[in-house]
Amino acid sequence: MKIAWKIFAVLACMFLLSATPVQAKKPADSDVAGIFAPHVVEPTKMVNRYLLGQIDQAYENWKTAYENRKTVEQVVDYQKKTKQYFIDAIGGFPERTALNARVVGRVEKPGYRVEKVIFESQPNHFVTAAVFLPDEKKFKAPYPGILVVCGHSSTGKGYEGYQKACALAATNGLVAMIQDPIDQGERAQSLDEKGKPRAVCCHAHNTIGAPSILLGRNTARFEIYDGMRGIDYLQSRPDIIPDKIGCMGNSGGGTQSAYIMALDDRVAVGSPSCYICSLYLGLTHRCGAQDAEQNIFGQLAFGMDHGDYCMMRAPRPTLLCTATRDFFPIEDAWVSYRYAKRLYGRFGLSERMGLVETDQKHGYTKQLREGAVRWMVRWLAGRDEPITEPDDLPTLTLEEIQCTPQGQVMLLDGARSVFDLNRDRENQLQAERKKLWTATPKAELVKRIARLAAIGPKDGRHAPEVKSLKSIRRAGYTIEPQILTPEPGIQLPAIRFIPDKIDPSKRPVVYLNANGMTADAAQGGPIEKLLQAGQTVLAVDLRGTGITAQTKQKYFRPSFFGGDGQDYYLAYLLGRSYVGMRTDDLLSVARLFDGPVELVTVGDMGIVALHAAAVEPERFATVELQGCLPSWSSLIEQGYGPARLTNLIHGALTVYDLPNLVGLLGEKVTVKE
């Protein structure tokens, strides 16, 4: 198999040509580049290709499992297990508490009226909403109710297209409640000193999602639960028919409505818009992983795709609203629709699974709003009739729809953010971890660590295949570039530094720098000092680091989450972690040596080193950490702020934190900087 290292060649050339040769003519640039020329691929795409290959295999498993569900009993069993998996994967839900709902304002519009509402989905965690009510002269209470969840608009419930969907429902005899999701509209979760949001929409959701991962939670957990509490509020109203509840939304609201309709059995009718397609197909392969809430841990390995959100609720009526020119691939929406409709057929009710397609771009456009409301009227009100949205359908101004006095819930007395809720959970876990680590045998703790990080089994590991390239002599040592292959599809660039005078009393060193294998290899640098002391050094770029680091992904802000956010979430969807995969790489590399090695790490590689040494302590005589993140809990305490995704393990803090690993290794570990 040809291996691509064009960037490897460039960086290695820069290093190799920087030293002074002894007893050898300094090679020309073309000579050094020639060492790597036969091995040219695209190294920055290596991890992406590897993960997509695993997703392809998971899709084959999904299709096999789908085809094996032939009876209603098998479908019901699948629904039960998938729902429970979904709930567990997002961290479960809290116990329901008092909503303390209050109407804070009313607005009259031609054909409908609006009540502005604030309720608490959790104590002092405020949700702002607008309830669109029919004209009492035209439609008599009680009414069916619809929860409308917002897509990614900074104005949240104030966005005109979402308001029009609610107004259209109200003018056709349904109550529609639209509520602000976290970090949209009036619900920014982190404000600056001037009371302005630090972030909104996608970036804000990702900033919540990153630390939540460590708690085994997901941004989706908070959005789903807020939606469920919204349904609680609707059912508490005397003017709502409690068993006639629908849920609909577009884009990010399509995500939320898909989740809520799948998990909450009270949703009699569902209609997600401009979202349902397929994670196994175009979304991951062409678009890349989306926001934090749109990636559920391990769902592709388990077998839960977009179509499953429909199938989990079969045979209750469900309508997919789609757009031909959406960036969510329309062809994949049809694939999921066909799978779902076939499964609805197991119940003999395939007509309850529908699809509307408009020849438009992404958005809650007029035709989709009409289709969704028509579907709700048909199945909730029992009226099968055309629904047409008037061109002059009025909506509220942002000032009219505002619920809070100052425009943000976090300025209300006693308000608590998602970051506060996560801090509460981490405080509980700290006490639980202390008890766990006091009462649990070391071997059992190591097993649980390996399981959470998805580190491979010890008996399945082996030394990597080694391909040595043309070696070069330098003053006092030899440089031997190598390519290490720990498993198919993964190649690790490495440089072995061999001193002329090896001190047999000293152990070899494995050197890992998050910035790449040549980062500390300059003349007079740390690696050369080890060589001068007579130690052999193997500097390695573990997968996704150095010259194999992803450089093209800008969707997740590199300054906050690293340059490989979308690749991280591909692994996350498969139930894997970068820490675990890199730990497997390191443990494979350690098998190149007959005895234990000294391990030196710089930056993020310290987290990998701690895991490797905890799982197989016999492989490492010493572990030196330079510039390593001190703890994961510090990210929870930080709240809003940067957190490199590849350092995070789903649910890690339910069992351990980084200081636990340091303590596990004892005097073997040296922590610097």
Side-chain angles (χ1 to χ4, degrees):
M1 180 187 298
K2 288 188 176 181
I3 311 164
W5 305 122
K6 184 176 287 184
I7 299 176
F8 183 23
V10 173
L11 293 179
C13 287
M14 290 172 62
F15 164 69
L16 295 175
L17 294 176
S18 68
T20 303
V22 174
Q23 297 179 349
K25 181 181 178 180
K26 185 175 181 178
D29 288 4
S30 59
D31 295 333
V32 177
I35 298 174
F36 304 101
H39 315 286
V40 175
V41 224
E42 297 176 287
T44 61
K45 295 183 179 180
M46 177 188 71
V47 178
N48 182 266
R49 287 193 301 266
Y50 171 84
L51 293 170
L52 290 177
Q54 294 205 333
I55 288 173
D56 290 342
Q57 182 55 58
Y59 186 39
E60 295 303 314
N61 297 339
W62 182 93
K63 288 188 288 186
T64 299
Y66 172 88
E67 296 297 344
N68 286 335
R69 296 182 202 117
K70 301 296 186 184
T71 66
V72 169
E73 291 75 19
Q74 288 172 325
V75 172
V76 170
D77 182 63
Y78 142 81
Q79 290 174 327
K80 180 180 179 181
K81 290 178 179 177
T82 307
K83 287 179 184 178
Q84 190 58 56
Y85 173 82
F86 194 171
I87 293 170
D88 292 343
I90 61 175
F93 297 121
E95 293 183 6
R96 276 175 163 77
T97 52
L99 285 170
N100 297 323
R102 60 190 189 277
V103 176
V104 296
R106 292 178 172 84
V107 180
E108 295 284 342
K109 289 291 179 181
Y112 68 92
R113 54 200 169 89
V114 175
E115 292 184 358
K116 299 187 290 184
V117 176
I118 299 176
F119 65 86
E120 300 173 31
S121 62
Q122 298 183 59
N124 290 325
H125 186 58
F126 297 107
V127 179
T128 42
V131 182
F132 288 64
L133 295 148
D135 183 342
E136 293 175 296
K137 296 178 181 178
K138 187 174 182 181
F139 298 97
K140 301 299 181 183
Y143 313 104
I146 309 170
L147 175 70
V148 180
V149 278
C150 294
H152 288 132
S153 65
S154 60
T155 54
K157 64 186 180 307
Y159 185 73
E160 185 180 49
Y162 302 152
Q163 282 198 57
K164 284 192 172 183
C166 297
L168 183 62
T171 55
N172 283 278
L174 309 179
V175 171
M177 184 175 80
I178 186 169
Q179 60 187 52
D180 287 324
I182 48 177
D183 282 311
Q184 294 175 237
E186 300 178 67
R187 296 191 66 210
Q189 298 296 289
S190 181
L191 304 178
D192 63 19
E193 62 280 356
K194 295 181 181 180
K196 302 299 182 183
R198 288 192 170 92
V200 295
C201 293
C202 301
H203 176 55
H205 294 166
N206 294 334
T207 307
I208 289 171
S212 296
I213 287 169
L214 294 165
L215 302 172
R217 291 178 168 182
N218 188 296
T219 303
R221 173 189 187 268
F222 303 103
E223 294 180 337
I224 295 168
Y225 191 65
D226 285 346
M228 290 177 167
R229 297 315 312 272
I231 293 174
D232 287 345
Y233 173 72
L234 285 173
Q235 290 187 320
S236 74
R237 294 180 60 114
D239 54 357
I240 300 295
I241 304 171
D243 62 349
K244 296 289 186 180
I245 300 294
C247 183
M248 67 190 211
N250 180 74
S251 188
T255 306
Q256 294 175 66
S257 57
Y259 291 168
I260 294 167
M261 74 179 191
L263 293 178
D264 196 323
D265 291 339
R266 297 174 298 175
V267 178
V269 184
S271 179
S273 175
C274 287
Y275 175 64
I276 295 291
C277 49
S278 173
L279 286 165
Y280 289 115
L281 299 174
L283 194 55
T284 51
H285 284 69
R286 296 205 305 271
C287 303
Q290 301 294 297
D291 303 327
E293 69 268 28
Q294 294 173 325
N295 306 296
I296 307 304
F297 179 69
Q299 69 178 100
L300 295 188
F302 176 83
M304 186 174 76
D305 197 12
H306 282 192
D308 290 276
Y309 305 139
C310 304
M311 293 185 284
M312 287 160 64
R313 57 179 275 103
R316 285 171 290 171
T318 305
L319 176 73
L320 302 186
C321 291
T322 66
T324 307
R325 292 177 283 149
D326 199 342
F327 55 82
F328 288 118
I330 184 63
E331 60 271 26
D332 295 349
W334 277 94
V335 169
S336 287
Y337 166 69
R338 290 188 63 194
Y339 274 119
K341 197 169 186 68
R342 281 179 60 201
L343 186 130
Y344 270 63
R346 304 280 194 267
F347 295 89
L349 296 166
S350 61
E351 72 278 6
R352 293 188 178 182
M353 186 68 223
L355 183 145
V356 170
E357 179 177 345
T358 182
D359 187 16
Q360 299 286 336
K361 294 181 180 179
H362 183 84
Y364 221 2
T365 51
K366 184 172 181 285
Q367 185 178 351
L368 297 186
R369 296 194 295 265
E370 291 171 341
V373 173
R374 184 181 303 126
W375 189 258
M376 294 293 165
V377 169
R378 175 189 298 171
W379 293 104
L380 291 176
R383 306 193 324 261
D384 194 358
E385 58 192 34
I387 301 292
T388 303
E389 180 182 293
D391 292 335
D392 60 350
L393 184 66
T395 58
L396 282 66
T397 66
L398 293 180
E399 183 178 356
E400 286 178 320
I401 206 169
Q402 181 175 307
C403 298
T404 58
Q406 296 174 276
Q408 288 296 336
V409 295
M410 289 307 298
L411 297 176
L412 297 175
D413 290 341
R416 310 198 76 232
S417 70
V418 167
F419 298 115
D420 293 321
L421 300 177
N422 276 346
R423 291 186 189 102
D424 289 347
R425 178 57 177 153
E426 168 53 11
N427 288 335
Q428 295 173 349
L429 290 175
Q430 282 184 14
E432 293 175 13
R433 289 197 302 270
K434 186 175 181 180
K435 293 179 181 179
L436 177 69
W437 279 74
T438 300
T440 309
K442 178 178 176 179
E444 177 58 28
L445 289 169
V446 170
K447 286 181 181 179
R448 295 181 68 174
I449 291 166
R451 186 163 56 247
L452 279 170
I455 299 170
K458 185 175 181 178
D459 57 8
R461 277 191 282 275
H462 54 78
E465 296 179 7
V466 179
K467 182 172 185 177
S468 295
L469 307 180
K470 184 179 179 181
S471 62
I472 296 177
R473 286 281 301 138
R474 290 294 179 261
Y477 56 93
T478 300
I479 301 165
E480 186 176 295
Q482 296 179 333
I483 296 172
L484 312 179
T485 304
E487 63 173 307
I490 295 296
Q491 293 82 36
L492 311 177
I495 300 177
R496 186 183 291 267
F497 300 85
I498 307 169
D500 292 347
K501 296 181 180 180
I502 299 175
D503 186 339
S505 67
K506 294 185 177 180
R507 301 183 187 279
V509 177
V510 173
Y511 202 100
L512 306 176
N513 189 312
N515 293 320
M517 61 185 172
T518 63
D520 288 333
Q523 280 186 309
I527 289 178
E528 192 168 272
K529 290 179 181 178
L530 292 169
L531 296 172
Q532 291 169 352
Q535 290 181 277
T536 299
V537 178
L538 180 64
V540 186
D541 283 349
L542 303 183
R543 73 182 74 189
T545 68
I547 64 175
T548 68
Q550 177 62 256
T551 60
K552 300 297 184 181
Q553 294 176 349
K554 304 300 182 185
Y555 183 70
F556 291 86
R557 296 188 184 183
S559 61
F560 263 69
F561 309 112
D564 39 20
Q566 288 184 297
D567 281 353
Y568 171 83
Y569 273 116
L570 293 183
Y572 189 79
L573 288 165
L574 290 164
R576 305 193 68 179
S577 74
Y578 263 65
V579 172
M581 291 188 294
R582 289 170 176 171
T583 297
D584 285 333
D585 290 344
L586 176 54
L587 291 172
S588 177
V589 169
R591 281 165 166 73
L592 292 170
F593 302 90
D594 293 332
V597 300
E598 294 181 8
L599 181 57
V600 177
T601 67
V602 180
D604 295 343
M605 295 302 97
I607 298 175
V608 177
L610 287 172
H611 284 79
V615 171
E616 292 190 29
E618 69 277 10
R619 296 284 173 184
F620 306 98
T622 61
V623 178
E624 181 180 302
L625 311 177
Q626 300 177 26
C628 182
L629 180 72
S631 71
W632 282 320
S633 62
S634 64
L635 299 178
I636 307 298
E637 182 60 32
Q638 165 187 273
Y640 175 83
R644 189 175 182 91
L645 287 167
T646 51
N647 289 337
L648 310 179
I649 294 173
H650 185 81
L653 287 174
T654 63
V655 173
Y656 69 108
D657 198 355
L658 299 179
N660 294 121
L661 299 182
V662 173
L664 195 65
L665 299 174
E667 295 181 356
K668 183 177 290 189
V669 178
T670 301
V671 180
K672 295 184 178 181
E673 302 175 11

